[in-house]
Amino acid sequence: MYRTTHLLLLLCIISIFASGALQLQDAHGGSCIPTERASLLSFKKGITSDRTNLLASWHGQDCCRWRGIRCSNRTGHVVRLHLRTPNLDVYKDPCSFDTLFGEISSSLRSLEYLEHIDLSMNCLSGPNSTFPEFLGSMENLRYLNLTGLAFSGRLPPQLGNLSKMRYLAIGQDRRSEMYSDNITWLTNLHSLKHLSICGVNLSGIDDWPHTLNMIPSLRVVNLHGCSLDNANQSLPYLNLTKLEKLDLSWNEFDHSIEHSWFWKVTSLKHLNLEYTRLFGQFPDALANMTSLQVLDLSLNSNKYLTMTGKLKNLCSLKILDLRQNDISAGVAEMMQGLPECAWTNLQQLIQQKCAL
Ligand SMILES: *[C@@H]1O[C@H](CO)[C@@H](O)[C@H](O)[C@H]1NC(C)=O
Ligand SMILES: *[C@@H]1O[C@H](CO)[C@@H](O)[C@H](O)[C@H]1NC(C)=O
Ligand SMILES: *[C@@H]1O[C@H](CO)[C@@H](O)[C@H](O)[C@H]1NC(C)=O
Ligand SMILES: *[C@@H]1O[C@H](CO)[C@@H](O)[C@H](O)[C@H]1NC(C)=O
Ligand SMILES: *[C@@H]1O[C@H](CO)[C@@H](O)[C@H](O)[C@H]1NC(C)=O
Ligand SMILES: *[C@@H]1O[C@H](CO)[C@@H](O)[C@H](O)[C@H]1NC(C)=O
Ligand SMILES: *[C@@H]1O[C@H](CO)[C@@H](O)[C@H](O)[C@H]1NC(C)=O
Ligand SMILES: *[C@@H]1O[C@H](CO)[C@@H](O)[C@H](O)[C@H]1NC(C)=O
Ligand SMILES: *[C@@H]1O[C@H](CO)[C@@H](O)[C@H](O)[C@H]1NC(C)=O
């Protein structure tokens, strides 16, 4: 008898909690706009495989509570779609892992208040691998991350319509067959802070530093593996005064390092020149790069590269990566060339002959 009362009491408590939860849901219920819910369900139809059950919560009326969705608490419109596969290295191919498979349905187009789309590290390039051009009409987008999706064909200039864009990340290291022969549309993105275009063939575009120089808001630029031909353009005037991170790795420039345009950018903190085949003596301008914390020169063993006496002012230097490099100085000489002010910061001096 005692046990039964106890059980009843427990059941009673559970039901009170349950109805409380129901009331809570009611209070928020209906905040999802039905047409937007329908668009999201169409988008879901384009997903053919979801082995990690990322979309398990995508049912029920209130789409604002679905995983990866956020609605404006002012207008109720869907403003965010965030379904990135977490913890997958950007150099991996998402199609070889348990990610979302399928295509990006153009039904997203009707979610016109979307500000943020992150579908990165999923296998969503569809059967034809064509870039979802309709994204170029979603004018409220501030953030678009499709890193890891291997599209082919031309990078659509329609993206130049997205004038509110702040973060743009596109490309895939290995399988991408995308290209562009003209990126001047980027200069319409007046608020762009972060630009990452990896593995897109930009060969033949000679004025790319000039294009970047027309976007003074840039803080991070990553053009890893873009088949860029050279970096020795001269910029009469530098607008890129906020640029902190520049990654030009895996582009075979094959010219003198001294004549590269980026030595003007004294705000740089991270400079990645891994496998760029740059050679020769570093310029005196290196003395002005006093913010530089990370300098990656690895895998440039093709030709003679020398920095003797050029490191004097690099007080902020934390990492100097010289792996697989025929740098014309031994570690001892290199350490002597480093200013005393850098010794406290320097965490890693990575050199080919170091036993790591
Ligand atoms: C509404 O959204 C803003 C910013 O997105 C947030 O700071 C605020 O706490 C939200 N208000 C409610 C009632 O959820
Ligand atoms: C874009 O997505 C990749 C992979 O998920 C992530 O590593 C990167 O930080 C993201 N970029 C931005 C600007 O958020
Ligand atoms: C893919 O290409 C085929 C034929 O080339 C075409 O019929 C089909 O509509 C395309 N699908 C998409 C999603 O673009
Ligand atoms: C976007 O840009 C293209 C040219 O790049 C233009 O033809 C089009 O009208 C613009 N607007 C929309 C909504 O796509
Ligand atoms: C690139 O496109 C812009 C307009 O979209 C055009 O004015 C310019 O001439 C083009 N540049 C080249 C090198 O074709
Ligand atoms: C990039 O495109 C150029 C010509 O447009 C071509 O010669 C080159 O092989 C391409 N690079 C890669 C890595 O596909
Ligand atoms: C950037 O500098 C160039 C000169 O290299 C100048 O012509 C251009 O107007 C500047 N652009 C912006 C957006 O400030
Ligand atoms: C830049 O380097 C290339 C070799 O990659 C060379 O052909 C070209 O003349 C150089 N341009 C300038 C302006 O120095
Ligand atoms: C360093 O910067 C100063 C001021 O901007 C400039 O006058 C000087 O020419 C620069 N030095 C080198 C070696 O480029």
Side-chain angles (χ1 to χ4, degrees):
M1 188 60 206
Y2 173 77
R3 268 207 186 143
T4 326
T5 347
H6 207 87
L7 193 68
L8 273 174
L9 197 67
L10 195 68
L11 276 173
C12 209
I13 290 169
I14 287 172
S15 73
I16 286 168
F17 269 108
S19 68
L22 267 177
Q23 267 166 20
L24 211 68
Q25 205 160 29
D26 279 347
H28 286 258
S31 70
C32 165
I33 293 165
T35 52
E36 297 199 340
R37 179 176 174 276
S39 299
L40 287 170
L41 287 175
S42 299
F43 167 79
K44 189 185 173 189
K45 281 201 187 111
I47 312 283
T48 53
S49 165
D50 171 22
R51 270 175 247 151
T52 60
N53 290 322
L54 214 55
L55 302 181
S57 63
W58 281 44
H59 56 78
Q61 287 306 309
D62 191 358
C63 67
C64 297
R65 294 175 153 235
W66 296 355
R67 180 167 176 175
I69 300 298
R70 191 184 295 162
C71 299
S72 160
N73 58 13
R74 216 164 30 82
T75 64
H77 289 294
V78 174
V79 291
R80 186 178 153 107
L81 171 65
H82 191 95
L83 292 171
R84 108 171 20 170
T85 299
N87 309 322
L88 187 54
D89 191 304
V90 292
Y91 298 117
K92 298 267 165 65
D93 176 3
C95 298
S96 309
F97 293 85
D98 282 346
T99 62
L100 295 177
F101 280 65
E103 62 184 347
I104 303 175
S105 160
S106 60
S107 65
L108 283 188
R109 193 206 306 256
S110 49
L111 297 167
E112 54 183 311
Y113 297 94
L114 265 181
E115 295 173 3
H116 175 119
I117 297 180
D118 191 334
L119 297 171
S120 62
M121 304 317 290
N122 286 300
C123 186
L124 289 176
S125 49
N128 297 355
S129 300
T130 46
F131 192 92
E133 261 177 43
F134 71 86
L135 292 173
S137 65
M138 303 195 64
E139 290 176 4
N140 285 309
L141 279 183
R142 288 160 172 74
Y143 176 106
L144 176 63
N145 195 340
L146 299 178
T147 300
L149 280 74
F151 297 110
S152 56
R154 189 159 176 235
L155 191 60
Q158 283 83 344
L159 294 176
N161 290 323
L162 305 176
S163 58
K164 294 180 183 166
M165 193 64 84
R166 293 195 171 89
Y167 298 87
L168 178 62
I170 310 172
Q172 213 243 16
D173 193 37
R174 298 187 198 287
R175 293 189 313 132
S176 171
E177 284 173 29
M178 256 195 301
Y179 70 93
S180 177
D181 48 14
N182 189 339
I183 52 167
T184 54
W185 53 267
L186 278 171
T187 60
N188 296 335
L189 312 184
H190 303 292
S191 305
L192 196 63
K193 285 189 197 168
H194 181 122
L195 173 68
S196 171
I197 299 182
C198 298
V200 176
N201 192 340
L202 304 181
S203 147
I205 300 185
D206 205 44
D207 60 353
W208 60 272
H210 297 99
T211 301
L212 297 179
N213 197 33
M214 304 284 275
I215 319 169
S217 51
L218 281 171
R219 288 177 163 81
V220 176
V221 171
N222 184 354
L223 296 173
H224 167 93
C226 283
S227 305
L228 295 166
D229 303 311
N230 41 53
N232 56 1
Q233 298 83 349
S234 69
L235 296 179
Y237 181 80
L238 187 84
N239 306 317
L240 289 170
T241 54
K242 292 176 182 154
L243 191 63
E244 293 186 350
K245 220 171 166 179
L246 180 63
D247 187 338
L248 297 175
S249 57
W250 291 82
N251 291 288
E252 300 184 35
F253 296 131
D254 215 6
H255 58 68
S256 154
I257 195 165
E258 191 176 356
H259 296 115
S260 307
W261 66 271
F262 46 76
W263 297 121
K264 274 197 170 180
V265 191
T266 52
S267 53
L268 278 182
K269 292 182 177 165
H270 292 241
L271 178 58
N272 190 346
L273 300 174
E274 178 185 308
Y275 193 70
T276 43
R277 300 175 65 90
L278 292 162
F279 58 82
Q281 171 78 13
F282 277 69
D284 292 336
L286 190 61
N288 276 348
M289 307 286 281
T290 49
S291 304
L292 208 57
Q293 295 175 3
V294 179
L295 178 57
D296 190 338
L297 295 165
S298 56
L299 297 171
N300 281 303
S301 57
N302 59 318
K303 280 173 187 164
Y304 187 78
L305 193 60
T306 171
M307 55 201 318
T308 317
K310 303 285 175 161
L311 297 169
K312 285 191 292 287
N313 294 347
L314 303 191
C315 290
S316 310
L317 206 60
K318 290 181 180 159
I319 298 176
L320 180 58
D321 193 337
L322 303 171
R323 262 173 301 176
Q324 298 203 34
N325 223 314
D326 294 337
I327 206 105
S328 70
V331 176
E333 198 187 322
M334 188 72 71
M335 293 302 275
Q336 276 162 19
L338 283 167
E340 256 174 63
C341 57
W343 283 62
T344 46
N345 290 328
L346 201 69
Q347 293 157 358
Q348 290 176 50
L349 176 67
I350 309 169
Q351 213 260 1
Q352 187 180 20
K353 294 185 182 88
C354 288
L356 286 170

